[in-house]
Amino acid sequence: MTRGEAAVALGSFGACLISVFMQMIDVTIVTTALPVITGELGASQSQQLWLVAGYSLAFACVLLSAARLGAILGRRLMFLWSAVAFTLASLWCGMSDSAMELVVARVVQGVAGAGMAAQTIAVITAAFRRDHQPYAFAAYGATAGFAGMLGPIVAGALVTLNPFGLGWHVIFLMNLPLGVLAIGLAMKYLRIGPAPQRPPLDLRGSAIATAALFLLLFALSDSQHGGWRPAHGAYLVAALTLGGLFVTYERATRRRGGIALVRLDLFGDKGFAVGSVLVTIFFGLFTAFVFTVSILLQDVLHFSVLRTGAAMTPFAIGAGVGALISPILVHRFGIRVLAAGVAFFGCWVAVGVGYLYIGDGAVNLALVTGPVFLAGFGVGVFGVPLQPIMLAGLDDRDMGEASGLLPTVEQIGNSVGLAVLSALFFRAHTLTGSMTMLSAIAVTALGLGVLTLALPDRRTLGATPWSRNTAA
């Protein structure tokens, strides 16, 4: 790779990293600042949940179509327009003066975020050689995870410090310089144009997929504030019916020689199939954990926003340490490292539940720093290598087809996590409810560790790609 090619690859990758940072931090940063936003805007419980779920709902429903539009219009053009829209939507969020306006702005932000996210896998595949791609995906996954964990810390600091007297508005306005930087990098370095064959956008397939995802995620989201009702069962039945229709339609399209919206044969690869299940569960688990801890600390234990951020800081640091060493551990010991990492997280969450029970909710931050750090360490060890191992069996063409599919799976996991959180936590909203949710998270994490052992043992991650090439 020449110096110019390296600059293009790193510049394109930088734009992707900034975009995923903005997308992920805007989920958990809102979660932590939600009590403050609610107090100022007078948001109802329904509006509170839609401030979080509306973003994820819009994001997930648009991803598959956005990935295909990227192939038709060009990844560069789609990424640029989406980055501009996301930045402007962030400005709109920061200027909102009513709860409903903020909900609408968040939905627009979710649509724009999907436009960026749906291009990422294709961009990384085009920018890096095959032997370097696992490290790029690992760095991308680490950035996404770190941003999600950094949200509560940044929210706590910004809301407490109140820079320029902007209050909670600053948590959205901070995206403006990041968005401008991502746009600048993409304009200068991103080179991917339309696909050579210009595959058409399958409007019928897109409509079926969007309707199925919307009904599924709407049922899960709406049940969070009003409890489960018969209508939600009807929505889920309709979603599953449309999902089955979509699969049948996509297979028929492939048999006719057409270009399907989703390459269902990707699930024929064991790593991708098992990885999709793991990603769905993990993202649901992580979303539920961050949301539960944030609401527990602020609403149940009455921590300030700043103290909540301080309590979560060891978790983020632990995840960062785990992310750094996980590629080396996976190269040495294989997928057992991932299984051990998520089980380790579950064990320390269980320890936390025991601590809350014994102390009746009294929390000494100095005493819990170590366990919180170790729980984050387990998340970092599991989450970072998962995507590279999952994608290792796909060729470059398949990687492009996975651009919209993988983020869609992740967003379904997010919504499922929030729905389960609603059923176990929001109705109780007490210390007992919090411990119930955290206990469920711990048990699920241990089960996820067992399921991880079904992954193919693809030891694709070493210390660095450069050291490997040198050895060769």
Side-chain angles (χ1 to χ4, degrees):
M1 182 180 290
T2 67
R3 182 175 299 180
E5 291 171 338
V8 168
L10 293 176
S12 302
F13 190 48
C16 290
L17 292 183
I18 295 170
S19 72
V20 73
F21 182 87
M22 292 190 296
Q23 293 156 25
M24 292 305 300
I25 201 171
D26 266 35
V27 176
T28 53
I29 200 171
V30 171
T31 299
T32 304
L34 198 56
V36 178
I37 297 173
T38 300
E40 183 171 325
L41 298 182
S44 65
Q45 188 179 29
S46 172
Q47 289 170 332
Q48 290 179 54
L49 289 166
W50 275 101
L51 284 173
V52 177
Y55 176 89
S56 297
L57 180 65
F59 195 104
C61 289
V62 173
L63 277 164
L64 294 176
S65 298
R68 179 51 52 85
L69 284 173
I72 296 171
L73 303 175
R75 303 292 182 186
R76 181 180 188 273
L77 183 63
M78 191 67 186
F79 184 93
L80 278 171
W81 278 109
S82 300
V84 170
F86 188 91
T87 305
L88 292 176
S90 297
L91 177 61
W92 185 11
C93 289
M95 296 178 66
S96 296
D97 57 8
S98 73
M100 184 53 65
E101 181 183 7
L102 184 55
V103 168
V104 175
R106 287 280 287 165
V107 169
V108 174
Q109 196 183 36
V111 172
M116 292 189 292
Q119 319 311 320
T120 300
I121 294 178
V123 170
I124 292 175
T125 302
F128 293 94
R129 296 203 314 260
R130 182 72 182 187
D131 57 337
H132 288 188
Q133 288 172 10
Y135 306 92
F137 285 122
Y140 185 82
T143 301
F146 184 70
M149 288 176 283
L150 194 64
I153 302 169
V154 174
L158 291 178
V159 171
T160 301
L161 295 174
N162 192 19
F164 308 109
L166 292 171
W168 60 265
H169 301 269
V170 75
I171 68 173
F172 297 108
L173 297 177
M174 62 174 281
N175 283 335
L176 300 185
L178 294 174
V180 170
L181 181 57
I183 294 166
L185 287 172
M187 289 183 67
K188 184 173 182 179
Y189 295 109
L190 200 52
R191 296 284 187 267
I192 309 178
Q197 295 182 340
R198 291 263 186 151
L201 177 62
D202 183 358
L203 294 176
R204 188 177 301 174
S206 296
I208 298 172
T210 300
L213 285 169
F214 179 82
L215 288 170
L216 170 65
L217 301 180
F218 177 77
L220 295 175
S221 300
D222 190 58
S223 65
Q224 293 171 27
H225 61 83
W228 188 261
R229 300 190 302 274
H232 296 130
Y235 294 148
L236 288 181
V237 170
L240 293 175
T241 302
L242 286 173
L245 177 62
F246 176 73
V247 171
T248 301
Y249 175 78
E250 293 295 285
R251 286 176 173 168
T253 300
R254 292 276 291 178
R255 284 197 299 269
R256 292 195 305 267
I259 300 177
L261 185 67
V262 173
R263 286 267 310 282
L264 297 175
D265 60 297
L266 294 179
F267 292 99
D269 178 81
K270 183 181 179 182
F272 189 83
V274 175
S276 295
V277 176
L278 296 178
V279 164
T280 302
I281 298 173
F282 176 67
F283 269 76
L285 197 68
F286 179 73
T287 301
F289 174 76
V290 173
F291 208 105
T292 300
V293 170
S294 177
I295 301 301
L296 163 67
L297 294 178
Q298 292 185 80
D299 284 10
V300 178
L301 303 183
H302 306 295
F303 278 31
S304 67
V305 178
L306 183 60
R307 196 177 182 208
T308 299
M312 293 296 289
T313 299
F315 188 89
I317 295 173
V321 174
L324 286 174
I325 70 171
S326 60
I328 301 171
L329 293 176
V330 171
H331 182 67
R332 179 75 172 82
F333 300 107
I335 53 96
R336 290 174 296 174
V337 171
L338 276 71
V342 73
F344 194 65
F345 163 72
C347 288
W348 284 109
V349 171
V351 169
V353 173
Y355 175 75
L356 288 170
Y357 178 78
I358 294 172
D360 196 25
V363 175
N364 183 318
L365 290 186
L367 186 62
V368 301
T369 295
V372 172
F373 173 89
L374 292 171
F377 178 82
V379 167
V381 167
F382 177 83
V384 169
L386 178 58
Q387 192 178 76
I389 291 175
M390 174 183 175
L391 297 173
L394 306 182
D395 59 28
D396 286 351
R397 179 172 176 271
D398 291 340
M399 291 275 208
E401 295 289 341
S403 276
L405 185 56
L406 182 55
T408 302
V409 170
E410 295 170 354
Q411 289 305 310
I412 290 174
N414 279 336
S415 296
V416 170
L418 285 173
V420 172
L421 174 66
S422 164
L424 295 180
F425 182 73
F426 269 105
R427 294 182 198 175
H429 225 288
T430 62
L431 180 61
T432 301
S434 304
M435 292 191 296
T436 300
M437 186 62 204
L438 290 173
S439 298
I441 288 171
V443 172
T444 304
L446 294 174
L448 188 59
V450 176
L451 182 59
T452 301
L453 296 175
L455 273 175
D457 198 356
R458 294 164 175 167
R459 305 187 186 192
T460 58
L461 299 172
T464 65
W466 300 277
S467 63
R468 184 177 65 184
N469 290 344
T470 301

